[in-house]
């Protein structure tokens, strides 16, 4: 089994920065895609950013130019550097990973418990 643990959330003023981390552990053979999603009150969950094992990235239009996703494959960890934060970025941020376990060959989605990001004006 696989566990994802997020960290780095908190309260920040508009214009500030936060860096989220998500570490995957367990019976991992490979992680093809890791990403961040968020859900704000009254809204559906939305993709924020994803990154493949090869480093290809995709971002939501709302965060392009402000957020940067990266990963350390050796540590099975994904990061989200969030700059120029806006109040509308306030949400619970969830880490997601598409994992092939050591018992293979199927790929499964795993989710973290979420970390709260609150941006005040």
């Amino acid at each position: 089994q696989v566990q994802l643990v997020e960290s780095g959330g908190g309260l920040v003023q508009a214009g500030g920065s936060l860096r989220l981390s998500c570490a995957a552990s367990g019976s991992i053979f490979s992680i093809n895609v890791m990403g961040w999603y968020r859900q704000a009150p009254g809204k559906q969950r939305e993709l924020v950013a994803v990154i493949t094992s090869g480093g290809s990235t995709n971002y939501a239009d709302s965060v392009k130019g402000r957020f940067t996703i990266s990963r350390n494959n050796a540590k099975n960890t994904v990061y989200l550097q969030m700059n120029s934060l806006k109040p509308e970025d306030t949400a619970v941020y969830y880490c997601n990973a598409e994992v092939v376990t050591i018992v293979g060959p199927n790929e499964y989605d795993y989710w973290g418990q979420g970390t709260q990001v609150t941006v005040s004006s």
Side-chain angles (χ1 to χ4, degrees), residues 5 20-24 31 34 51 70-79 95:
V5 179
L20 305 183
S21 299
C22 173
I31 303 177
M34 301 186 80
I51 184 168
S70 61
R71 64 189 284 175
N72 185 324
N73 291 334
K75 295 182 177 181
N76 290 323
T77 300
V78 63
Y79 308 93
C95 178

Side-chain angles (χ1 to χ4, degrees), residues 37-48:
Y37 295 73
R38 67 186 182 187
Q39 187 164 18
K43 292 187 175 182
Q44 298 184 66
R45 185 188 67 178
E46 64 175 349
L47 183 147
V48 178

